[in-house]
Each structure stands twice: as C-alpha cells, then as structure tokens.
C-alpha cells in the first residue's frame, strides 16, 4: 500500500505545475517599486538614531508605493520607519494587511472573506508567527499571509497547494506536520522497499529462462 502511495503521490506532484501550486498566477508576491531619485529621504544616521536598539541592516524600499526604511534589528526583528521623516511607523494592522493582499491579488475580483492574525502554527503556514492571514472568496480559497513586521507577503496557499501538501505528507510519511522526511516510518519502509527490490533482482536472476535452459542442457549432456 505504501509503495502504491509513493508512486501515486509522486506522479500527482510531478503533474501539478509548481507555479500553480505556489499560486503565482493568483498572487504576485514580489512587486518592485522604484524609489524616485528626486525624493528626499531621511539620512541613515537619523533613522538609526530613532531605532530602539542596535541595527544589523538598514535598507530603503517601498510599501504600497510609500517609501519606507526597513530596519533589521540585532535580535532578528524587523521595524519600519518612514523614509522621509525617519520616525518609526506603527506595526502592520488588519486593514493595511488587507490592502497589501488586495494589491497583490490577480484573481477574478473575489472579495476578502476574513483577515485574521494567526498566532499558532499549522500545516498551512510554518513561518514566523504571528502573521496576518487574508482569505479570499474564490474557487481556490486563496489565503495570503502578510508579515505584521514589514508588510511583505510571506506565503500563499490555494486549493491546489493543499492538495499537493496532502499528498506530500503521504509521500514522506509525516501525516501530521508534512515536513519531516526523516521519520522512522520513512526509513523503515525505504529500507524494506530496497530489500524487496534486491530480492526481486535475485529471484529474477535465479528464474531467468536462459539460465534455466543452460542448466537443463548441462544435465542432459551429463546424462548422455
């Protein structure tokens, strides 16, 4: 049964286009906005001076057309500052997360069903928490995950992705989390499958017709 699941799930995952699994045709995760050279931005020194602690990285970017300074703190957290004034910006709230998802959505004009701040992990999203989950009312039940730190899209889940993930869990024999392919079950069945294949080759060699014919012919020659 597990061998059949391996073959069937592997076939299904190879048939599904990875672009469709990732939802790239529905949501544009990366949107590039050029910052105008004529705009005046706060100096890095003033932005760093308004930071609450040591900064590991500072870069100027755009969020929904608004120039922002993105600070990666020494502890790994991310804070957003206004690129013009250098002052800290509030964390991404539900309306802003919905605007980010709507701006990236390329589907057939489906309305937003819900916006929820997910605080616990699941098989659908295994990234950094908490995260905003914006769900659309479309045929794929598309869910867009937006980071509350920097407003970036960190995940897109569709019905196709869920189908792929379900069979991926069957394929690696991690039926709960769908991510660990070093489980004892996986290793045991892989070793069993290898032993089965080796035994089949040995049996095939032993039962090979030509070898059997030569053996019979040899017996006849000895008898003669």
């Amino acid at each position: 049964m597990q061998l059949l699941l391996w073959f069937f799930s592997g076939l299904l995952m190879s048939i599904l286009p990875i672009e469709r699994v990732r939802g790239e045709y529905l949501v544009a995760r990366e949107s590039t906005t050029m910052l105008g050279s004529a705009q005046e931005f706060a100096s890095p020194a003033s932005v760093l001076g308004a930071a609450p602690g040591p900064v590991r990285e500072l870069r100027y970017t755009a969020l929904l057309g608004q120039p922002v300074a993105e600070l990666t703190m020494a502890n790994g957290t991310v804070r957003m500052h206004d690129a013009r004034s250098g002052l800290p910006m509030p964390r991404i709230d539900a309306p802003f997360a919905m605007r980010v998802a709507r701006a990236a959505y390329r589907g057939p004009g489906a309305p937003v069903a819900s916006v929820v701040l997910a605080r616990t992990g699941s098989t659908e999203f295994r990234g950094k928490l908490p995260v905003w989950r914006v769900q659309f009312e479309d045929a794929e039940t598309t869910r867009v995950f937006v980071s509350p730190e920097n407003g970036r899209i960190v995940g897109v889940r569709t019905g196709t992705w869920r189908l792929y993930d379900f069979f991926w869990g069957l394929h690696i024999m991690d039926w709960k989390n769908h991510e660990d392919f070093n489980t004892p079950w996986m290793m045991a069945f892989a070793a069993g499958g290898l032993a089965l294949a080796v035994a089949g080759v040995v049996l095939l060699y032993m039962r090979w017709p030509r070898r059997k014919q030569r053996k019979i012919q040899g017996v006849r020659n000895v008898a003669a």
Side-chain angles (χ1 to χ4, degrees), residues 91-94 97-98 100-101 114-122 124-135 143-157:
R91 286 175 66 86
I92 307 300
D93 57 9
M98 184 172 63
V100 171
S114 63
V115 182
V116 178
L117 184 63
R119 299 182 180 275
T120 57
S122 65
E124 196 168 72
F125 183 80
R126 309 178 185 96
K128 188 176 181 180
L129 298 170
V131 65
W132 288 109
R133 185 182 66 219
V134 183
Q135 179 172 321
R143 292 176 179 174
V144 180
F145 293 85
V146 180
S147 169
E149 290 186 331
N150 56 17
R152 290 184 183 176
I153 295 176
V154 293
V156 177
R157 303 293 181 256

Side-chain angles (χ1 to χ4, degrees), residues 196-216:
L196 185 65
V198 172
V201 171
V202 173
L203 290 174
L204 180 64
Y205 174 76
M206 295 177 62
R207 301 289 295 178
W208 196 254
R210 291 184 180 178
R211 184 174 181 273
K212 190 174 181 181
Q213 272 187 347
R214 287 198 301 267
K215 187 175 180 181
I216 295 174

Side-chain angles (χ1 to χ4, degrees), residues 114-193:
S114 63
V115 182
V116 178
L117 184 63
R119 299 182 180 275
T120 57
S122 65
T123 57
E124 196 168 72
F125 183 80
R126 309 178 185 96
K128 188 176 181 180
L129 298 170
V131 65
W132 288 109
R133 185 182 66 219
V134 183
Q135 179 172 321
F136 289 86
E137 290 184 353
D138 58 2
E140 289 272 2
T141 316
T142 305
R143 292 176 179 174
V144 180
F145 293 85
V146 180
S147 169
E149 290 186 331
N150 56 17
R152 290 184 183 176
I153 295 176
V154 293
V156 177
R157 303 293 181 256
T158 64
T160 305
W161 183 94
R162 296 180 192 99
L163 178 66
Y164 185 98
D165 186 66
F166 172 75
F167 281 101
W168 168 251
L170 294 179
H171 195 78
I172 65 174
M173 303 187 71
D174 182 7
W175 304 289
K176 182 179 179 181
N177 297 319
H178 302 182
E179 60 181 351
D180 185 9
F181 51 84
N182 292 321
T183 60
W185 283 107
M186 181 67 175
M187 290 185 283
F189 272 83

Side-chain angles (χ1 to χ4, degrees), residues 2 25 29 40-41 45-46 55 60 65 71 75 78 81 83-84 129 145 148-149 151 161 174 176 196 204 214 224:
Q2 183 56 41
Y25 73 106
R29 300 191 188 203
E40 293 185 2
F41 301 125
S46 62
V55 177
Y60 292 88
L71 284 72
N75 59 4
V78 178
H81 287 227
R84 298 187 183 93
L129 298 170
F145 293 85
E149 290 186 331
W161 183 94
D174 182 7
K176 182 179 179 181
L196 185 65
L204 180 64
R214 287 198 301 267

